[in-house]
Amino acid sequence: VYLFLFIVVFCETGLVVTPFLPGDSLLFAGGTLAGAGLMSYPGICLTLLAAAIIGDSVNFRIGKHVGPPVFQKDYRWLKKKYLEQAHVFYEKHGGKAIILARFIPIIRTFAPFVAGVAGMRQSRFLFFNISGALIWVFSIVTAGYFLGSRPFVQKNFSLIIYGIIVVSVLPVVFETAKHMLAKKKTIPVAVKRDEDA
C-alpha cells in the first residue's frame, strides 16, 4: 500500500501526462487508514512527502530540458490549455504558486513543469517545493487521520473508502464528459460548413 501511494502521488506530481490521478483524495484516504489503526501515520506522511517532493523535482527538470516549444501545439497527452492555465497562475503568484498549486488539481501537475520551462532558479524552486509538500501532505493526511479515528468511521470504514474513491474519480468523469460534449458541438458546425462550401 505504501508503494502504491508513493507511485500514484509521484506520477500525479511528477509526470505532466497524468494530471487526472487522485492526489488529494489519496492523501486523505491514507490519513483515514492511519486513523483507523491500519497504517502508520508517520510512515504515510514520510512516504507521501517523499513522493510529492521527488515528483515535483522530476517535473521541474523535465520542464527545464523540454523548454518553451511545448507551448506551441497540443499533444495527445499534453494539453496546451492546461499549460497556459498553469503559466498564468505561475505568472500571477510567482514562487508561491508552487505552494498554492499543491491544492489545485491539474494545476498541481503543471506548475512545476511551467516553473522549469520559465527557467526558475533550482534552489528557489526547491524551497517552495519542500514548503508546499509539507503543508499539503500534513494538512490533508492529518485531516484524514482525525476522521479515521472516529468510531463512526471505523464501523463504516469500507463505505468511507468507497466514498473517497468515488469523489476522487468524479473530476475525471466530469472532464471527460465535458470534452466529449464539446466535441459533439463542434462536429455539426464543421459538417454544415462543408455543405455550404
Side-chain angles (χ1 to χ4, degrees):
V1 176
Y2 288 107
L3 181 62
F4 170 76
L5 292 172
F6 180 92
I7 290 170
V8 173
V9 173
F10 169 80
C11 289
E12 197 230 4
T13 57
L15 306 175
V16 288
V17 295
T18 51
F20 52 83
L21 290 173
D24 294 327
S25 53
L26 266 189
L27 264 64
F28 193 80
T32 307
L33 286 167
L38 300 172
M39 297 185 79
S40 160
Y41 173 77
I44 287 272
C45 287
L46 290 173
T47 300
L48 295 173
L49 196 58
I53 293 170
I54 295 168
D56 259 29
S57 297
V58 168
N59 210 343
F60 175 79
R61 294 301 299 174
I62 293 170
K64 213 170 181 65
H65 286 295
V66 171
V70 295
F71 282 94
Q72 301 308 312
K73 59 178 182 176
D74 268 336
Y75 297 90
R76 182 177 172 83
W77 299 106
L78 188 61
K79 298 294 180 189
K80 185 180 175 184
K81 178 182 76 173
Y82 296 151
L83 285 169
E84 287 172 347
Q85 285 173 353
H87 188 67
V88 168
F89 191 78
Y90 178 77
E91 288 295 314
K92 184 179 177 182
H93 297 287
K96 68 177 182 288
I98 306 301
I99 296 175
L100 295 172
R102 289 284 187 187
F103 296 89
I104 307 170
I106 297 180
I107 296 291
R108 173 169 55 243
T109 304
F110 288 97
F113 181 82
V114 170
V117 172
M120 187 179 192
R121 201 169 67 251
Q122 189 160 349
S123 57
R124 187 164 181 258
F125 171 79
L126 189 61
F127 170 77
F128 288 111
N129 175 15
I130 293 171
S131 303
L134 284 166
I135 297 166
W136 183 53
V137 169
F138 283 110
S139 63
I140 297 179
V141 172
T142 302
Y145 179 81
F146 284 115
L147 180 69
S149 62
R150 295 182 177 274
F152 170 79
V153 174
Q154 291 178 355
K155 284 177 186 173
N156 302 282
F157 190 71
S158 55
L159 288 174
I160 299 290
I161 292 297
Y162 290 138
I164 291 169
I165 292 167
V166 168
V167 169
S168 65
V169 170
L170 281 177
V172 180
V173 173
F174 286 136
E175 190 64 32
T176 306
K178 186 178 163 187
H179 182 68
M180 287 171 72
L181 286 170
K183 251 186 177 178
K184 280 184 180 179
K185 283 179 184 175
T186 55
I187 290 169
V189 174
V191 171
K192 191 175 186 303
R193 281 178 185 162
D194 288 341
E195 285 172 356
D196 292 342

